[in-house]
């Protein structure tokens, strides 16, 4: 898997409990990912839903990815939590290899997208290789 994620499973579908993908980063940090392919902005209720879904995945960090934007209330709802919010601009940068999903070094630091020091992947390597689905 791209970025070295392993144990990646697509959960999504009816009864997914608000989680589309689960996986383990090379660092050993476990992630749950909720994807929203929307044209409208993603609001605070979706952030709260993912926060609630995280209770079924102890020790996991949540990532909410959208092809749209997040509303101000959604961003405010996620502040102070370990959720990573990825909007369409960040998603584009992530998909082209400009950023990598990595947890912050300190226990109290929030995980986020980190700028890559290596060059972006070639055209044949674009996409997340199944991390976010095909």
């Amino acid at each position: 898997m791209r970025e070295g994620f392993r144990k990646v499973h697509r959960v999504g579908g009816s009864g997914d409990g608000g989680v589309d993908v689960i996986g383990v980063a090379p660092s050993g940090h476990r992630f749950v990912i909720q994807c929203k392919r929307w044209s409208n902005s993603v609001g605070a209720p979706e952030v709260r839903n993912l926060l609630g879904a995280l209770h079924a995945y102890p020790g996991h960090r949540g990532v909410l990815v959208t092809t749209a934007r997040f509303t101000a209330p959604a961003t405010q709802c996620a502040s102070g939590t370990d959720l990573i919010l990825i909007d369409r601009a960040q998603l584009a940068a992530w998909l082209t290899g400009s950023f990598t999903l990595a947890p912050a070094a300190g226990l109290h630091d929030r995980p986020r997208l980190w700028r890559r020091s290596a060059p972006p992947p070639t055209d044949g390597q674009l996409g997340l290789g199944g991390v976010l689905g095909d």
Side-chain angles (χ1 to χ4, degrees):
M1 297 287 140
R2 174 135 163 232
E3 297 189 20
F5 273 75
R6 59 190 193 283
K7 298 182 182 177
V8 176
H9 302 283
R10 187 181 304 191
V11 180
S14 179
D16 65 10
V19 172
D20 292 320
V21 178
I22 58 173
V24 179
S27 64
H29 288 91
R30 297 176 293 171
F31 288 88
V32 296
I33 302 171
Q34 174 66 47
C35 306
K36 298 291 184 190
R37 186 178 176 191
W38 290 5
S39 56
N40 293 328
S41 295
V42 175
E46 287 73 33
V47 172
R48 286 190 297 271
N49 288 344
L50 182 54
L51 286 170
L54 281 170
H55 289 286
Y57 296 90
H60 286 69
R61 295 183 179 194
V63 182
L64 183 54
V65 181
T66 183
T67 53
R69 292 193 167 98
F70 292 100
T71 64
T75 303
Q76 184 178 15
C77 184
S79 68
T81 72
D82 281 339
L83 283 186
I84 301 170
L85 300 183
I86 301 175
D87 66 12
R88 68 183 183 184
Q90 294 166 318
L91 178 60
W94 189 18
L95 290 172
T96 61
S98 298
F99 289 88
T100 182
L101 179 63
L107 291 176
H108 300 292
D109 295 333
R110 291 184 55 206
R112 60 187 181 269
L113 286 176
W114 292 87
R115 184 170 298 280
R116 281 189 186 275
S117 57
T122 63
D123 287 341
Q125 296 174 321
L126 293 179
L128 291 176
V131 173
L132 289 180
D134 299 323

